[in-house]
Amino acid sequence: MTTPSPERAVTLQGTIERFTFRNPDTGWAVVKLIDEATGRPLTAVGSMAELKEGQRLKITGTESAHAKFGLQVKVDQFEAIAPCSVEGIEAYLASGLVKGIGPGTAKKITAAFGLDTLRVVEEQPERLRQVRGLGDRRIEDLQQAVRAQKDLQNVLVFLRTYGLGAALAARIVRRHGANASALVQANPYRLADEGIGIGFRTADRLAGQLGIAPEAPERLAAGLEFTLAQAAKEGHCFLPEHELLERTAELLASTTAALQPHVVELAHAGRIARQLPPGPALLHEDPRPIVYPVTLATAEAGVARALDGLLRGDRERLPVRPDAAVAWFEQTSGMALPDGQRTALVRALSEPVSVITGGPGVGKTTIVRALVQILAQKDRRLLLAAPTGRAAKRLEESTGHPATTLHRLLEFTPGIGRFARSQNNLLEGDLLVVDEASMLDIQLAYSLLAAVPRTMSLVLVGDCNQLPSVGPGNVLADVLASGRVPTTALTQIFRQQRGSDIVRVAHGILQDEVPASGGEGSDFYFVEARNAAHARLLIRELVMQRIPRRFGLDPQRDVQVLCPMYRGEVGADTINRDLQDLLNPGQIEIERGGKIYRTGDKVMQIRNDYDREVWNGDVGRITHIDTGAAKAFVRFPEREQEYRFEDLGDLVPAYAISVHRSQGSEYPAVVLPITTDHFLMLRRSLLYTAITRGKQLVVVVGSRKALEQAVHNADDGHRYSGLRERLRDLVRADGIHPERAAGGAPPRQHEA
């Protein structure tokens, strides 16, 4: 047996030949290095994931001979230094530093400037224009990339002093560029920004180490803004001022008295919006201020004004006689519409804004199909849209008419982060139908309504009993409760749906009825489990064996597990790991943020990515993982996208997902764990939403007690939103319908 060589401290210089492994989540990398002094190749291991091939380093560390991998240096410290040869500079520029600069372009640049190349890039970038094929944009990108690589070293040294790692430093550099070190020192609370990826408490600890006092104005202001941002993630548009102060005082271990002046200062500076609650003062016993993030205050007021403008606007009516159009549709389709559908269709054709709401199987899609045919007959332009790609695809398939996401309808422009369609560039068409309107958050609704001209009719279609939007606000519920918009609530289940136990159970839940398992030939089953651990075993058996064998469904393609929570024995995280190992074992994999990603995995995007044009809730499959390049490739229905490892936090494994993430989707089969472990989330709206996602089969696994608790809990959790009162205020302002100030029943609502 060969005895390994003893460890020895070394300092050496070398050039990175290639990466054999790197993980930006931890900063760890394994690189092949050429030692300049000896010319020998060696392996260096350490926190170097953000460096580039061709980069020259000065390394301090410990050298030893590994029994399997040969000579290795464990890197303690490194310093990036300028390449000392033309060949080294060329390799560095061609390493992928800037997209579009490969070996050929790098050779042209070094041929022009030789050893002076990097100085020219940093200090005289205008001289690069003499290199054929280099435009201003690419020159600017190259200059920024070279500077960022230098700045990375400074940030690494600075942050490591305070206990933060290399991967975080790299994210800070990507976010803030060459000024990263100065910006972080000036305001460490910027690190709590979602784009950086660390929590407020970590940023607060760093601020303390940098000498920012507990009662420093910048700390108190940062805490207040962070608390408002967290409230928005919970679905709130605003917080009552007293609640904002109490939450922030707890976060900062401060007092409400110390924080109060800073709320006023932030409001005066335009960083938050502080105002009295909307609605008549006489309805508020003690009208204390409420506080919004500025963007949400703008959005909420804008939605109210836009809807009011549409409702009041003098516009040319559609050139359709509604009653005659309904009769024509019934005759040509051979379908006699019941009163509820007829009323909804007449309102859609005659009112500037209307709402159609109802559960599964009540005929909402039939009304949209009728609108498609009627407007086509009249040669009028109909627009169909939905908040997500999945919902838009379903809408298109069910109506036979093109449908799109709201982001595409509004022509979102990647790079500048704005919609091309706005009040200055209005949508073109005669009638717009927005499906799955319960998913509209206040900001998306604002962007949409800003682009709807007064001459266009708007129809919102949705199920008001589903969970509210993931984003802030409760738009559909507030519009309904305002009493301002003509609404048809459909309740009659049609013949083709009456045989479905899924539909029967869903409507029964709304009537406080606890569902029972169906019999032979049913499409709804309840499988009782002794406890959460037993439920977990049953889910694995159902997905892998029972459902595929009995119903002929593919466990990976057709079966979706929906979980009330991500954590716990039957949370989405645990079930994902189980099903990943059962359905997709033995593949190339990487770990990111505690999650495993494998080639072949089903994954879901969890935030809107405007550059990639991939939206929150889009599902794809990982086709390839390149550990050397630190990239994964994901095939979505429309295109394949490339993700750097550090961006994989935007994706979650999707064998099991949260019920919230399933909104707007339908699946051939749904498996839903419901146990008392989920008691915080056991609500009627969550159970109803999950069950209505299943098309052919729904299996609920868990305890009868938990199921009963969910059915009987009609409390959907209060959201702070002012849209309902703002819509009512716009009526009160002209003295119309004063009786609604007392909260009277909404007018013109038809139930059928």
Side-chain angles (χ1 to χ4, degrees):
M1 177 180 285
T2 303
T3 303
S5 301
E7 294 184 353
R8 67 186 184 93
V10 295
T11 298
L12 56 87
Q13 292 184 177
T15 301
I16 297 175
E17 187 177 52
R18 71 178 187 277
F19 284 86
T20 57
F21 175 81
R22 53 180 162 180
N23 183 350
D25 191 37
T26 61
W28 190 259
V30 180
V31 303
K32 290 295 183 183
L33 203 70
I34 304 298
D35 185 353
E36 291 179 2
T38 64
R40 62 175 179 165
L42 55 86
T43 300
V45 296
S47 295
M48 302 177 289
E50 291 300 320
L51 298 175
K52 300 291 182 182
E53 292 175 359
Q55 199 155 11
R56 189 169 170 237
L57 304 176
K58 180 179 180 180
I59 288 175
T60 301
T62 305
E63 181 185 81
S64 63
H66 192 282
K68 181 176 180 181
F69 299 110
L71 193 63
Q72 281 192 347
V73 174
K74 183 179 179 181
V75 178
D76 297 324
Q77 294 182 347
F78 69 85
E79 176 187 352
I81 54 180
C84 60
S85 67
V86 172
E87 292 79 10
I89 296 171
E90 184 180 318
Y92 175 52
L93 296 181
S95 65
L97 192 68
V98 172
K99 187 176 181 180
I101 295 183
T105 304
K107 194 174 192 68
K108 292 178 185 177
I109 296 171
T110 54
F113 304 108
L115 291 172
D116 205 27
T117 295
L118 294 181
R119 187 194 65 78
V120 169
V121 170
E122 286 194 73
E123 300 175 11
Q124 298 176 296
E126 66 280 357
R127 291 178 61 192
L128 294 173
R129 293 194 185 99
Q130 71 187 64
V131 178
R132 188 173 180 181
L134 275 185
D136 289 345
R137 176 64 184 272
R138 198 157 289 169
I139 290 170
E140 182 182 352
D141 290 347
L142 180 58
Q143 182 189 39
Q144 290 181 356
V146 170
R147 285 180 174 175
Q149 282 294 313
K150 289 182 67 176
D151 196 58
L152 174 61
Q153 319 314 317
N154 298 328
V155 179
L156 279 169
V157 172
F158 166 67
L159 290 180
R160 283 178 175 173
T161 303
Y162 297 101
L164 300 178
L168 175 59
R171 292 198 293 272
I172 294 169
V173 170
R174 280 197 301 276
R175 179 79 172 192
H176 298 297
N179 296 320
S181 297
L183 289 171
V184 170
Q185 291 182 71
N187 182 10
Y189 291 103
R190 70 176 61 247
L191 296 182
D193 184 286
E194 188 176 10
I196 299 301
I198 71 169
F200 179 85
R201 293 190 185 279
T202 302
D204 194 37
R205 176 172 58 82
L206 176 59
Q209 292 174 321
L210 289 170
I212 295 177
E215 298 301 313
E218 59 264 44
R219 179 175 187 259
L220 300 183
L224 288 163
E225 291 182 303
F226 176 77
T227 299
L228 275 182
Q230 289 300 107
K233 291 181 180 179
E234 297 166 16
H236 302 299
C237 289
F238 66 84
L239 286 179
E241 185 175 68
H242 69 88
E243 186 171 335
L244 170 63
L245 292 170
E246 289 165 2
R247 286 193 186 196
T248 309
E250 183 179 357
L251 173 73
L252 300 180
S254 183
T255 65
T256 57
L259 288 161
Q260 173 65 58
H262 296 280
V263 175
V264 178
E265 289 175 9
L266 286 171
H268 285 161
R271 289 166 61 180
I272 60 176
R274 180 176 182 260
Q275 54 194 243
L276 289 177
L282 61 90
L283 293 183
H284 302 285
E285 293 180 3
D286 183 10
R288 300 180 183 180
I290 59 176
V291 185
Y292 289 80
V294 172
T295 54
L296 298 187
T298 302
E300 189 177 272
V303 169
R305 286 194 304 270
L307 281 173
D308 183 69
L310 287 172
L311 289 164
R312 293 175 185 271
D314 294 327
R315 66 182 184 92
E316 294 183 11
R317 298 167 62 89
L318 287 169
V320 175
R321 288 181 297 137
D323 290 323
V326 172
W328 173 84
F329 172 74
E330 289 180 315
Q331 181 179 4
T332 56
S333 67
M335 180 186 302
L337 298 178
D339 289 345
Q341 285 186 318
R342 186 178 294 111
T343 299
L345 192 49
V346 167
R347 285 177 172 164
L349 292 168
S350 58
E351 299 282 1
V353 186
S354 63
V355 175
I356 303 166
T357 185
V362 296
K364 298 189 299 293
T365 302
T366 298
I367 297 168
V368 181
R369 285 198 202 103
L371 289 172
V372 168
Q373 294 180 33
I374 290 169
L375 266 72
Q377 175 69 16
K378 291 293 183 179
D379 197 27
R380 293 288 164 167
R381 187 176 178 189
L382 172 67
L383 305 177
L384 299 184
T388 68
R390 296 163 296 155
K393 184 177 180 181
R394 283 176 48 212
L395 182 61
E396 183 169 314
E397 290 172 348
S398 62
T399 62
H401 186 82
T404 184
T405 63
L406 290 173
H407 283 85
R408 289 217 173 109
L409 177 74
L410 298 174
E411 299 175 17
F412 187 85
T413 307
I416 63 173
R418 290 196 298 269
F419 292 110
R421 294 288 182 176
S422 66
Q423 62 268 31
N424 299 319
N425 182 23
L426 297 171
L427 292 168
E428 298 168 7
D430 298 290
L431 189 147
L432 167 63
V433 175
V434 178
D435 197 16
E436 296 288 354
S438 63
M439 299 178 69
L440 279 174
D441 62 52
I442 195 69
Q443 289 171 296
L444 184 55
Y446 176 49
S447 296
L448 172 66
L449 288 165
V452 174
R454 296 285 177 91
T455 56
M456 180 183 285
S457 298
L458 174 65
V459 180
L460 301 177
V461 181
D463 187 343
C464 61
N465 293 301
Q466 287 190 27
L467 289 167
S469 59
V470 175
N474 207 356
V475 174
L476 181 61
D478 283 349
V479 167
L480 293 171
S482 75
R484 292 290 311 279
V485 179
T487 298
T488 309
L490 303 173
T491 58
Q492 180 181 346
I493 302 173
F494 291 98
R495 184 176 304 147
Q496 64 268 29
Q497 295 289 349
R498 287 179 187 156
S500 168
D501 284 334
I502 294 174
V503 174
R504 174 186 59 79
V505 164
H507 286 271
I509 287 169
L510 298 180
Q511 302 303 316
D512 204 32
E513 297 173 6
V514 179
S517 187
E520 185 67 29
S522 175
D523 56 7
F524 176 86
Y525 296 90
F526 173 71
V527 179
E528 193 153 7
R530 295 186 298 274
N531 50 41
H534 185 214
R536 179 180 173 187
L537 291 173
L538 286 172
I539 290 168
R540 295 168 63 169
E541 183 181 345
L542 283 162
V543 173
M544 296 300 298
Q545 299 172 30
R546 290 201 212 175
I547 291 175
R549 185 169 60 238
R550 182 167 177 181
F551 297 95
L553 297 171
D554 183 273
Q556 193 163 9
R557 183 185 64 245
D558 299 328
V559 182
Q560 183 64 60
V561 180
L562 303 181
C563 301
M565 300 171 66
Y566 271 97
R567 297 179 180 177
E569 186 77 25
V570 284
D573 289 338
T574 301
I575 301 301
N576 262 316
R577 288 192 293 270
D578 286 351
L579 296 181
Q580 188 180 48
D581 288 340
L582 291 168
L583 292 169
N584 193 33
Q587 305 292 330
I588 295 173
E589 67 176 44
I590 57 145
E591 183 176 353
R592 166 78 181 176
K595 292 180 172 61
I596 301 294
Y597 299 85
R598 292 177 181 163
T599 300
D601 271 348
K602 181 166 66 171
V603 291
M604 174 180 280
Q605 179 82 13
I606 59 171
R607 74 169 184 87
N608 289 334
D609 187 325
Y610 301 109
D611 293 325
R612 291 188 179 92
E613 293 188 70
V614 180
W615 313 118
N616 186 1
D618 285 354
V619 175
R621 197 169 297 277
I622 297 176
T623 58
H624 176 60
I625 293 175
D626 186 335
T627 56
K631 293 177 181 178
F633 299 84
V634 182
R635 166 60 64 180
F636 292 97
E638 296 184 354
R639 63 178 66 84
E640 186 169 82
Q641 296 290 353
E642 175 185 300
Y643 286 76
R644 296 177 301 187
F645 283 178
E646 58 265 36
D647 295 333
L648 288 177
D650 293 343
L651 298 171
V652 294
Y655 301 102
I657 61 174
S658 71
V659 178
H660 278 86
R661 297 286 180 200
S662 73
Q663 288 177 269
S665 294
E666 283 186 346
Y667 310 97
V670 164
V671 176
L672 173 67
I674 291 285
T675 73
T676 51
D677 290 9
H678 298 140
F679 72 95
L680 291 174
M681 298 296 293
L682 294 180
R683 295 171 178 164
R684 182 182 295 172
S685 60
L686 182 137
L687 178 64
Y688 174 83
T689 300
I691 287 173
T692 54
R693 301 308 91 203
K695 292 170 63 178
Q696 301 173 36
L697 177 68
V698 172
V699 182
V700 177
V701 182
S703 75
R704 173 66 57 179
K705 179 181 178 181
L707 185 60
E708 291 172 352
Q709 182 178 336
V711 171
H712 298 323
N713 182 9
D715 178 9
D716 290 332
H718 177 68
R719 287 189 171 197
Y720 290 117
S721 167
L723 178 59
R724 178 185 66 177
E725 283 302 324
R726 291 186 192 281
L727 282 167
R728 289 179 173 180
D729 267 359
L730 290 168
V731 172
R732 297 187 192 106
D734 66 3
I736 300 173
H737 304 305
E739 71 279 1
R740 293 188 201 158
R748 293 191 291 175
Q749 179 160 321
H750 182 84
E751 194 169 285

Coordinates of all heavy atoms in Angstrom, one line a residue, residues 284-340:
H284 N -65.7 54.1 10.5 CA -64.5 53.7 11.3 C -64.6 54.4 12.7 O -64.6 55.6 12.8 CB -63.3 54.1 10.6 CG -63.1 53.6 9.2 ND1 -62.8 52.3 9.0 CD2 -63.3 54.1 8.0 CE1 -62.8 52.0 7.7 NE2 -63.1 53.2 7.1
E285 N -64.8 53.6 13.7 CA -64.9 54.1 15.1 C -63.6 54.9 15.4 O -63.7 56.0 16.1 CB -65.0 53.0 16.1 CG -66.4 52.3 16.0 CD -66.5 51.2 17.0 OE1 -65.6 51.0 17.8 OE2 -67.5 50.5 17.0
D286 N -62.5 54.5 15.0 CA -61.2 55.2 15.3 C -60.4 55.0 14.0 O -59.6 54.1 13.9 CB -60.5 54.5 16.5 CG -59.2 55.3 16.8 OD1 -59.0 56.4 16.3 OD2 -58.5 54.7 17.7
P287 N -60.6 55.9 13.0 CA -59.9 55.8 11.7 C -58.4 56.0 11.8 O -57.9 57.1 11.6 CB -60.6 56.8 10.9 CG -61.0 57.9 11.8 CD -61.4 57.2 13.1
R288 N -57.7 54.9 12.2 CA -56.2 55.0 12.3 C -55.6 54.8 10.9 O -56.2 54.2 10.0 CB -55.7 53.9 13.2 CG -56.2 54.0 14.6 CD -55.7 52.9 15.5 NE -56.2 52.9 16.8 CZ -55.9 52.0 17.8 NH1 -55.0 51.1 17.5 NH2 -56.4 52.1 19.0
P289 N -54.4 55.4 10.7 CA -53.8 55.2 9.3 C -53.5 53.8 9.0 O -53.3 52.9 9.8 CB -52.5 56.0 9.5 CG -52.7 57.0 10.7 CD -53.6 56.2 11.6
I290 N -53.4 53.6 7.7 CA -53.0 52.3 7.1 C -51.7 52.6 6.3 O -51.6 53.8 5.8 CB -54.0 51.6 6.3 CG1 -54.5 52.5 5.1 CG2 -55.2 51.2 7.2 CD1 -55.5 51.8 4.2
V291 N -50.9 51.6 6.0 CA -49.6 51.9 5.4 C -49.4 50.8 4.2 O -49.5 49.6 4.5 CB -48.4 51.8 6.3 CG1 -47.1 52.2 5.6 CG2 -48.7 52.7 7.5
Y292 N -49.1 51.3 3.1 CA -48.9 50.5 1.9 C -47.5 50.6 1.4 O -46.8 51.7 1.5 CB -49.7 51.0 0.7 CG -51.2 50.9 0.7 CD1 -52.0 51.7 1.4 CD2 -51.8 49.9 -0.1 CE1 -53.4 51.6 1.4 CE2 -53.2 49.8 -0.1 CZ -54.0 50.6 0.6 OH -55.4 50.5 0.6
P293 N -46.9 49.6 0.8 CA -45.8 49.8 -0.2 C -46.3 50.7 -1.3 O -47.5 50.6 -1.7 CB -45.5 48.4 -0.7 CG -46.1 47.5 0.3 CD -47.3 48.2 0.8
V294 N -45.5 51.6 -1.8 CA -46.0 52.6 -2.8 C -46.6 52.0 -4.0 O -47.6 52.4 -4.5 CB -44.8 53.6 -3.1 CG1 -45.2 54.5 -4.3 CG2 -44.4 54.4 -1.9
T295 N -45.9 50.9 -4.5 CA -46.4 50.2 -5.7 C -47.8 49.7 -5.5 O -48.6 49.7 -6.4 CB -45.4 49.1 -6.1 OG1 -45.2 48.2 -5.0 CG2 -44.1 49.7 -6.6
L296 N -48.1 49.1 -4.3 CA -49.4 48.5 -4.1 C -50.5 49.6 -3.9 O -51.6 49.4 -4.3 CB -49.4 47.6 -2.9 CG -48.4 46.4 -3.1 CD1 -48.6 45.4 -1.9 CD2 -48.6 45.7 -4.4
A297 N -50.1 50.7 -3.3 CA -51.1 51.8 -3.2 C -51.4 52.3 -4.5 O -52.6 52.6 -4.8 CB -50.5 52.9 -2.3
T298 N -50.4 52.5 -5.4 CA -50.7 53.0 -6.8 C -51.6 52.0 -7.5 O -52.5 52.4 -8.2 CB -49.4 53.2 -7.5 OG1 -48.5 54.1 -6.8 CG2 -49.6 53.7 -8.9
A299 N -51.3 50.7 -7.4 CA -52.0 49.7 -8.1 C -53.4 49.6 -7.6 O -54.4 49.5 -8.5 CB -51.3 48.3 -7.9
E300 N -53.7 49.6 -6.3 CA -55.0 49.5 -5.8 C -55.9 50.7 -6.3 O -57.0 50.5 -6.7 CB -55.0 49.4 -4.3 CG -56.3 49.0 -3.7 CD -56.2 48.9 -2.2 OE1 -55.9 47.7 -1.8 OE2 -56.4 49.9 -1.5
A301 N -55.4 51.9 -6.1 CA -56.1 53.1 -6.5 C -56.3 53.0 -8.1 O -57.4 53.4 -8.6 CB -55.4 54.3 -6.1
G302 N -55.3 52.6 -8.8 CA -55.5 52.5 -10.3 C -56.5 51.5 -10.7 O -57.2 51.8 -11.7
V303 N -56.6 50.4 -10.1 CA -57.6 49.4 -10.5 C -59.0 50.0 -10.2 O -59.9 49.8 -11.1 CB -57.4 48.1 -9.7 CG1 -58.6 47.2 -9.8 CG2 -56.2 47.4 -10.1
A304 N -59.2 50.6 -9.1 CA -60.5 51.2 -8.8 C -60.9 52.2 -9.8 O -62.0 52.3 -10.3 CB -60.5 51.8 -7.3
R305 N -60.0 53.1 -10.1 CA -60.3 54.2 -11.1 C -60.6 53.6 -12.5 O -61.5 54.1 -13.2 CB -59.1 55.2 -11.2 CG -59.0 56.1 -10.0 CD -58.1 57.3 -10.3 NE -56.8 56.8 -10.7 CZ -55.8 56.6 -9.9 NH1 -55.9 56.8 -8.6 NH2 -54.6 56.2 -10.3
A306 N -59.8 52.6 -12.9 CA -60.0 52.0 -14.2 C -61.3 51.3 -14.3 O -62.0 51.5 -15.3 CB -58.8 51.1 -14.5
L307 N -61.7 50.5 -13.3 CA -63.0 49.9 -13.4 C -64.1 50.9 -13.3 O -65.1 50.7 -14.1 CB -63.1 48.9 -12.2 CG -62.4 47.6 -12.3 CD1 -62.4 46.8 -11.0 CD2 -63.0 46.7 -13.5
D308 N -64.0 51.9 -12.5 CA -65.0 52.9 -12.5 C -65.1 53.6 -13.8 O -66.2 53.9 -14.3 CB -64.6 53.9 -11.4 CG -65.7 55.0 -11.2 OD1 -66.8 54.7 -10.7 OD2 -65.4 56.2 -11.6
G309 N -64.0 53.9 -14.4 CA -64.0 54.5 -15.8 C -64.7 53.7 -16.8 O -65.5 54.2 -17.6
L310 N -64.5 52.4 -16.8 CA -65.1 51.5 -17.7 C -66.6 51.4 -17.4 O -67.5 51.5 -18.4 CB -64.5 50.1 -17.6 CG -63.1 49.9 -18.2 CD1 -62.6 48.5 -17.8 CD2 -63.1 50.0 -19.7
L311 N -67.0 51.4 -16.2 CA -68.4 51.2 -15.8 C -69.2 52.5 -16.2 O -70.4 52.4 -16.5 CB -68.6 51.0 -14.3 CG -68.1 49.6 -13.9 CD1 -67.9 49.5 -12.4 CD2 -69.1 48.5 -14.3
R312 N -68.6 53.7 -16.1 CA -69.3 54.9 -16.3 C -69.2 55.4 -17.8 O -69.9 56.2 -18.2 CB -68.7 56.0 -15.5 CG -68.9 55.9 -14.0 CD -68.1 57.0 -13.3 NE -68.1 56.9 -11.9 CZ -69.1 57.5 -11.1 NH1 -70.1 58.1 -11.6 NH2 -69.0 57.4 -9.8
G313 N -68.2 54.8 -18.5 CA -67.8 55.4 -19.8 C -68.9 55.4 -20.8 O -69.7 54.4 -20.9
D314 N -69.0 56.4 -21.6 CA -69.9 56.5 -22.7 C -69.1 55.9 -23.9 O -68.1 56.4 -24.4 CB -70.3 57.9 -23.1 CG -71.1 58.6 -22.0 OD1 -71.9 57.8 -21.3 OD2 -70.9 59.8 -21.8
R315 N -69.6 54.7 -24.3 CA -68.9 54.0 -25.4 C -69.9 53.5 -26.4 O -71.1 53.3 -26.1 CB -68.1 52.8 -24.8 CG -69.0 51.7 -24.2 CD -68.2 50.6 -23.6 NE -69.1 49.5 -23.2 CZ -69.4 48.5 -23.9 NH1 -69.0 48.4 -25.1 NH2 -70.3 47.6 -23.4
E316 N -69.4 53.2 -27.5 CA -70.2 52.5 -28.5 C -70.4 51.1 -28.1 O -69.5 50.3 -27.8 CB -69.5 52.5 -29.9 CG -69.3 53.9 -30.5 CD -68.7 53.9 -31.9 OE1 -68.6 52.7 -32.4 OE2 -68.3 54.9 -32.4
R317 N -71.7 50.7 -28.0 CA -72.0 49.3 -27.6 C -71.6 48.4 -28.8 O -71.5 48.7 -29.9 CB -73.5 49.2 -27.4 CG -74.0 50.1 -26.2 CD -75.5 50.2 -26.2 NE -76.2 48.9 -26.0 CZ -76.4 48.4 -24.8 NH1 -76.1 49.1 -23.7 NH2 -77.0 47.3 -24.7
L318 N -71.4 47.1 -28.4 CA -71.2 46.1 -29.4 C -72.3 46.1 -30.4 O -73.5 46.2 -30.0 CB -71.0 44.7 -28.8 CG -69.7 44.5 -28.0 CD1 -69.9 43.2 -27.2 CD2 -68.5 44.4 -28.9
P319 N -72.1 45.9 -31.7 CA -73.2 46.0 -32.7 C -73.9 44.6 -32.6 O -74.0 43.9 -33.6 CB -72.4 46.2 -34.0 CG -71.1 45.5 -33.7 CD -70.8 45.8 -32.3
V320 N -74.4 44.3 -31.5 CA -75.1 43.0 -31.2 C -76.3 43.3 -30.4 O -76.3 44.0 -29.4 CB -74.2 42.0 -30.5 CG1 -74.9 40.8 -30.1 CG2 -72.9 41.8 -31.2
R321 N -77.4 42.7 -30.9 CA -78.6 42.7 -30.0 C -78.6 41.4 -29.2 O -78.7 40.3 -29.7 CB -79.9 42.7 -30.9 CG -80.1 44.0 -31.6 CD -81.4 44.0 -32.4 NE -81.3 43.0 -33.5 CZ -82.3 42.2 -33.9 NH1 -83.4 42.2 -33.2 NH2 -82.2 41.3 -34.9
P322 N -78.3 41.6 -27.9 CA -77.9 40.5 -27.0 C -79.0 39.3 -27.0 O -78.6 38.1 -27.2 CB -77.8 41.1 -25.6 CG -77.4 42.5 -25.9 CD -78.1 42.9 -27.1
D323 N -80.2 39.6 -26.9 CA -81.2 38.6 -26.9 C -81.3 37.8 -28.2 O -81.4 36.6 -28.2 CB -82.6 39.2 -26.5 CG -82.7 39.6 -25.1 OD1 -82.1 39.0 -24.2 OD2 -83.4 40.7 -24.8
A324 N -81.2 38.6 -29.3 CA -81.2 37.9 -30.6 C -79.9 37.1 -30.8 O -80.0 36.0 -31.4 CB -81.3 39.0 -31.7
A325 N -78.8 37.6 -30.3 CA -77.5 36.8 -30.4 C -77.6 35.5 -29.6 O -77.1 34.5 -30.1 CB -76.4 37.7 -29.9
V326 N -78.2 35.5 -28.4 CA -78.3 34.3 -27.6 C -79.2 33.3 -28.4 O -78.9 32.1 -28.4 CB -78.9 34.6 -26.2 CG1 -79.2 33.4 -25.5 CG2 -77.9 35.5 -25.4
A327 N -80.3 33.8 -28.9 CA -81.2 32.9 -29.7 C -80.5 32.3 -30.9 O -80.7 31.1 -31.2 CB -82.5 33.7 -30.1
W328 N -79.7 33.1 -31.6 CA -79.0 32.6 -32.7 C -78.0 31.5 -32.3 O -77.9 30.5 -32.9 CB -78.2 33.7 -33.4 CG -77.2 33.3 -34.4 CD1 -77.5 33.0 -35.8 CD2 -75.9 33.0 -34.3 NE1 -76.4 32.6 -36.4 CE2 -75.4 32.6 -35.6 CE3 -75.0 33.0 -33.2 CZ2 -74.1 32.2 -35.7 CZ3 -73.7 32.6 -33.4 CH2 -73.2 32.2 -34.7
F329 N -77.3 31.7 -31.1 CA -76.4 30.7 -30.7 C -77.1 29.4 -30.3 O -76.6 28.3 -30.6 CB -75.6 31.2 -29.5 CG -74.7 30.2 -28.8 CD1 -73.6 29.7 -29.4 CD2 -75.1 29.6 -27.6 CE1 -72.8 28.7 -28.8 CE2 -74.4 28.6 -27.0 CZ -73.2 28.1 -27.6
E330 N -78.2 29.5 -29.6 CA -79.0 28.3 -29.3 C -79.4 27.5 -30.5 O -79.4 26.3 -30.5 CB -80.2 28.7 -28.4 CG -79.8 29.2 -27.0 CD -81.1 29.6 -26.2 OE1 -81.9 30.3 -26.8 OE2 -81.1 29.2 -25.0
Q331 N -79.8 28.3 -31.5 CA -80.3 27.6 -32.7 C -79.2 26.9 -33.5 O -79.3 25.8 -33.9 CB -81.0 28.6 -33.6 CG -81.5 28.0 -34.9 CD -82.2 29.1 -35.8 OE1 -82.2 30.2 -35.5 NE2 -82.8 28.6 -36.9
T332 N -78.0 27.6 -33.6 CA -76.9 27.1 -34.4 C -76.2 26.0 -33.6 O -75.6 25.0 -34.3 CB -75.9 28.2 -34.8 OG1 -75.5 28.8 -33.6 CG2 -76.5 29.2 -35.7
S333 N -76.2 26.0 -32.3 CA -75.5 25.0 -31.5 C -76.4 23.8 -31.1 O -75.9 22.8 -30.7 CB -74.9 25.6 -30.3 OG -75.9 26.1 -29.4
G334 N -77.7 24.0 -31.3 CA -78.6 23.0 -30.8 C -78.6 22.9 -29.3 O -79.0 21.8 -28.8
M335 N -78.3 23.9 -28.6 CA -78.2 23.9 -27.2 C -79.1 24.9 -26.6 O -79.0 26.1 -26.9 CB -76.7 24.2 -26.8 CG -76.5 24.2 -25.3 SD -74.8 24.7 -24.9 CE -73.8 23.5 -25.9
A336 N -80.0 24.5 -25.7 CA -80.9 25.4 -25.0 C -80.3 25.9 -23.7 O -80.0 25.0 -22.9 CB -82.3 24.8 -24.8
L337 N -80.0 27.1 -23.6 CA -79.3 27.7 -22.4 C -80.3 27.9 -21.3 O -81.3 28.5 -21.5 CB -78.6 29.0 -22.7 CG -77.5 28.9 -23.8 CD1 -76.9 30.3 -24.0 CD2 -76.4 28.0 -23.4
P338 N -79.9 27.5 -20.1 CA -80.8 27.8 -18.9 C -80.7 29.3 -18.6 O -79.8 30.0 -19.1 CB -80.2 26.9 -17.8 CG -78.8 26.7 -18.2 CD -78.8 26.7 -19.7
D339 N -81.6 29.7 -17.7 CA -81.7 31.1 -17.4 C -80.3 31.7 -17.0 O -80.0 32.9 -17.4 CB -82.7 31.4 -16.3 CG -84.1 31.1 -16.8 OD1 -84.3 31.1 -18.0 OD2 -85.0 31.0 -15.9
G340 N -79.6 31.1 -16.1 CA -78.3 31.6 -15.6 C -77.3 31.9 -16.7 O -76.7 33.0 -16.8

